[in-house]
Amino acid sequence: MLKRSQRLTADALPPLPARPGVSYIMPVLNEAEHISAAITTILDQEYAGEKEIVLALGPSTDETTSIVTTLAAGEPRIHIVHNPAGDTPTSLNLAIAATSHPVIVRVDAHSELTGDYTDTAIAVLRDTGAANCGGLMLARGRTPFQKAVARAYMSRVGLGGPAYHTGDEPQESESAYLGIYRREVFDVLGGFDSTLRRGQDWELNLRIREAGGRIWFDPRLEVTYWPRTTWRKIVQQFHATGIWRAELIRRHGTKNSWRYFAPPLLVLGVAASLIETLLQLSGATHTWPRFLRHFTALVHVPSLAYVAGIVAAAGQARDCGRRERAWFALVLPTMHLSWGAGFLRGLLTGAGTAADRSR
C-alpha cells in the first residue's frame, strides 16, 4: 500500500502554479524527415510559461544527429542527452532526468502539435486533477499508401478501442497518447520500465492508476502523426507491437483489455482455414464421414466474415481515390495479421530483445 505522499490522487497532487514551466521530452532515432517540423511545433507553442525541450538522441544512421545539433546550437531552450542504446524507454528516462519543470510533455518525432496544445493541456490537468492526460492522434499521410495507413489508424475497424485513435467525448481513460504528465508521476513511480521496448506508456499508466492517479482523454488535444511510409515498415512495426503486447499480457494478465486477443484469434482462424483447404485439395478429407467434412468446413466462416468486413470497410471509404481505397483494404489485414502473429510469438516465447526495425 502506497503512503499518501506516494499517491497520485487529485487531492494528493499539489496545486499547479498559474503558469507552470513545461518540459517537452522526445526520443529521437532516424527521424531526419520529420524532426525539424516536430521541434518547430513545440517552439511555436502559444503557451506563455517557461519551456524547454530535451531530445534524447539515439545512434541515428541518417542525418538526424546533424539536424538536431544544428537546431540546438541556435536555440537555448533545446537540450540534448545521448542514449547509445537507442531504445525508447531509456531515452525517455534520460530525458526526464534532464528536465526541470513541473509539467512534462512527451512528444514523438513523428508528431506535430497544434499551437494551443500546451495551454489546453495545462487547463485539463488543472480542471480534472489528472496525473496524466492526452488527446487525439490525428494520423495523416502524403502518399496514397500513407493516407491509407492513416485511415486505418483512425478507423474502429483498424486499431479500434482507445478513444485517442477514433475520437470520443472527454473521459477517464486506460492510457493516453504520448502523455502530459505531472512531475509527481516520476517522483513517485520512478519513470518508464526500461525492460519494455514497446508498450511502456501503457505500463506506466497502469501504475499511475494503481497509485490512485487519473488518466484523462480530451479530444481538444490534437496531435498530427505521420505513419510509416512502406508496407514492409508497417509489417515490422505491428509485428513488434504485437510481441510486446503479449509480453505485457504475460506480466500483467487480466489488467489488459480482452480486445488485444482479437488479432491473434484472427491469425489462428486464418491458419485453421488454410490447413482445412490444403487437406481438401490433397484429398485427405475424402475418406472422412460426411458430418465431419461439414463440421470442419465451418472453420472457414470466421475468415470469410472477416474478408467481408474488410471489403465493406473499404467500400465505405468513399472520400478517397481508388489507390488509397485499395491500399486501405490491404493495410487493414496487414496490421491485424502482423500484430496477431507477433502476439502469438510473444505469448509463447516472451519478447526477449525483439525490436521495432521499422525505424
Side-chain angles (χ1 to χ4, degrees):
M1 180 68 70
L2 293 173
K3 300 177 181 178
R4 176 179 170 78
S5 61
Q6 297 175 306
R7 300 285 288 170
L8 295 171
T9 56
D11 61 343
L13 293 171
L16 282 172
R19 285 290 179 189
V22 176
S23 300
Y24 303 86
I25 59 171
M26 182 192 297
V28 183
L29 179 68
N30 291 329
E31 295 290 357
E33 181 180 356
H34 300 284
I35 188 64
S36 293
I39 292 174
T40 298
T41 65
I42 299 173
L43 295 173
D44 289 345
Q45 288 294 289
E46 299 160 3
Y47 184 65
E50 291 187 34
K51 298 183 285 288
E52 65 178 355
I53 305 171
V54 181
L55 306 175
L57 191 58
S60 297
T61 56
D62 59 9
E63 297 301 315
T64 298
T65 300
S66 175
I67 294 170
V68 167
T69 303
T70 300
L71 290 171
E75 175 52 68
R77 291 174 294 179
I78 298 177
H79 311 288
I80 297 174
V81 295
H82 293 275
N83 174 21
D87 62 296
T88 298
T90 300
S91 288
L92 290 169
N93 289 335
L94 288 171
I96 291 164
T99 62
S100 58
H101 294 313
V103 175
I104 298 175
V105 179
R106 178 178 174 180
V107 188
D108 191 271
H110 270 252
S111 65
E112 297 175 14
L113 308 182
T114 57
D116 63 348
Y117 186 83
T118 306
D119 268 317
T120 303
I122 298 299
V124 171
L125 289 176
R126 181 176 287 115
D127 294 344
T128 64
N132 180 27
C133 66
L136 186 63
M137 173 199 280
L138 289 175
R140 294 288 182 264
R142 295 186 176 93
T143 66
F145 175 82
Q146 194 179 36
K147 289 178 180 179
V149 176
R151 181 180 294 273
Y153 265 88
M154 302 289 289
S155 169
R156 292 190 183 278
V157 181
L159 298 185
Y164 58 78
H165 285 309
T166 57
D168 212 330
E169 297 298 316
Q171 59 188 275
E172 286 200 49
S173 180
E174 172 188 48
S175 189
Y177 175 54
L178 297 180
I180 300 106
Y181 299 89
R182 295 287 302 265
R183 173 170 288 280
E184 290 80 6
V185 167
F186 304 105
D187 293 339
V188 171
L189 302 178
F192 293 90
D193 185 339
S194 61
T195 67
L196 291 172
R197 293 294 184 94
R198 301 298 298 268
Q200 64 278 150
D201 303 82
W202 181 91
E203 190 275 338
L204 177 59
N205 282 307
L206 171 63
R207 285 187 282 139
I208 292 173
R209 289 185 280 115
E210 290 178 337
R214 174 179 291 174
I215 316 296
W216 194 263
F217 166 80
D218 193 304
R220 294 176 297 166
L221 295 165
E222 295 184 352
V223 181
T224 296
Y225 173 79
W226 298 97
R228 305 295 192 268
T229 55
T230 67
W231 183 81
R232 180 182 179 182
K233 289 182 178 180
I234 292 298
V235 172
Q236 292 172 327
Q237 178 188 10
F238 277 82
H239 186 70
T241 302
I243 290 173
W244 284 102
R245 174 52 59 179
E247 180 67 23
L248 288 170
I249 296 285
R250 288 165 66 100
R251 297 188 189 190
H252 300 288
T254 56
K255 294 176 182 178
N256 293 265
S257 171
W258 288 105
R259 70 175 180 270
Y260 297 123
F261 288 90
L265 288 175
L266 171 66
V267 171
L268 293 176
V270 170
S273 184
L274 289 174
I275 291 171
E276 206 276 342
T277 298
L278 291 174
L279 289 173
Q280 285 186 354
L281 293 175
S282 68
T285 62
H286 292 172
T287 59
W288 295 2
R290 179 177 297 180
F291 81 89
L292 183 58
R293 293 200 301 271
H294 290 328
F295 178 77
T296 58
L298 294 176
V299 76
H300 299 293
V301 173
S303 297
L304 291 174
Y306 175 76
V307 171
I310 295 298
V311 171
Q316 292 171 2
R318 298 175 181 174
D319 58 338
C320 62
R322 291 183 179 179
R323 288 184 64 192
E324 181 180 335
R325 191 180 302 119
W327 274 122
F328 181 59
L330 178 62
V331 164
L332 285 173
T334 296
M335 287 180 170
H336 297 156
L337 294 172
S338 298
W339 199 101
F343 183 97
L344 290 172
R345 172 188 160 183
L347 198 62
L348 291 173
T349 66
T353 59
D356 177 5
R357 303 192 183 282
S358 68
R359 300 172 64 197

